[in-house]
Amino acid sequence: MKRNIVIAAVTAAALIGGGTATALATTGDDEGSARQAANTRLSDDAHDDQDGPDAQDDRDDDAARTASSDVTAAEAIASALKHTSGTVVSAELDDEDDSAKVVWKVDVLSGDNTWHSVSVDPSTGKVLGSHADDEDDTAQVRAALKGSSVTAEEAAKAAAGKGVVTSVDLDEDGKNKSWEAETHKSGGAEQDWKIDLNTGKVTADRTDAQDDDQD
């Protein structure tokens, strides 16, 4: 009778957790081993759910994009500015129009308030093309950058000490305006940083982590 109770308990635990467990038909001290085996299996299943194939695919994609670029964020920005004069507001290493081709996308705000999206080859630094964009936050961007001394290129260089910079972007919202950068290290680890608009000081961006905790 005792043996049947142990098997039923282990089986029920496996069904509730969505995993599988092998019930050990034993009595006495072996009952603890059976429960431990079931708990271990269920714990492994929960871990697999949190860090599944999709999460690994995202890390692999990020690592592949990083490895495909010989041109740094700062170099891509400099190249874009030679092609289109103005103020760089963001630069990102990303897929071009959801295709397999990876390029640097650099957003430039010209003196006449026209936005330009400039594509830069990540291997050669050559400008591949550009087109005008419509943005509705021009006034906010101008206000955030007014009186600042650190450019997007300088912010990218500052963040490069933390890893390979894959994006730099102006955060013009909120009280503490700054440059934001994302870096990657070998193995696909990524981290977000804030760069002060006046001093160029780099600090870890805790905003995303706090948002994750609240979710």
Side-chain angles (χ1 to χ4, degrees):
M1 180 66 178
K2 208 171 188 180
R3 169 174 171 270
N4 292 336
I5 292 174
V6 172
I7 294 174
V10 173
T11 302
L15 291 174
I16 292 171
T20 58
T22 302
L24 302 181
T26 54
T27 59
D29 293 339
D30 288 342
E31 292 176 10
S33 299
R35 286 192 294 270
Q36 183 176 2
N39 290 336
T40 300
R41 175 60 182 177
L42 294 173
S43 176
D44 289 344
D45 289 342
H47 177 74
D48 290 342
D49 290 341
Q50 294 174 355
D51 191 16
D54 290 342
Q56 184 60 49
D57 288 344
D58 289 341
R59 286 194 293 270
D60 290 344
D61 289 343
D62 290 338
R65 280 196 290 269
T66 303
S68 69
S69 180
D70 295 321
V71 175
T72 66
E75 291 169 341
I77 291 171
S79 181
L81 286 175
K82 287 180 181 179
H83 181 274
T84 305
S85 62
T87 302
V88 170
V89 180
S90 69
E92 181 181 13
L93 186 64
D94 201 2
D95 298 341
E96 184 177 31
D97 298 327
D98 296 327
S99 67
K101 186 176 182 180
V102 176
V103 298
W104 279 107
K105 293 181 179 179
V106 184
D107 290 334
V108 181
L109 177 59
S110 64
D112 63 358
N113 287 337
T114 300
W115 287 85
H116 302 270
S117 179
V118 184
S119 297
V120 179
D121 191 304
S123 298
T124 65
K126 180 181 178 180
V127 172
L128 301 174
S130 67
H131 63 270
D133 264 347
D134 292 327
E135 299 288 347
D136 58 4
D137 59 349
T138 301
Q140 285 179 285
V141 169
R142 292 291 190 197
L145 291 175
K146 186 177 181 180
S148 65
S149 57
V150 178
T151 65
E153 183 177 355
E154 291 168 338
K157 289 179 179 178
K162 304 297 185 179
V164 179
V165 178
T166 55
S167 72
V168 59
D169 186 31
L170 177 66
D171 179 11
E172 72 273 18
D173 297 323
K175 181 179 179 181
N176 298 319
K177 299 172 178 58
S178 64
W179 291 107
E180 294 181 331
E182 182 179 276
T183 62
H184 287 257
K185 291 187 176 181
S186 59
E190 65 178 55
Q191 190 166 357
D192 295 324
W193 306 91
K194 284 186 176 292
I195 302 92
D196 190 276
L197 289 172
N198 295 306
T199 66
K201 182 180 179 181
V202 181
T203 56
D205 185 0
R206 306 296 183 187
T207 305
D208 290 343
Q210 291 173 355
D211 290 343
D212 290 343
D213 290 342
Q214 291 174 358
D215 292 343

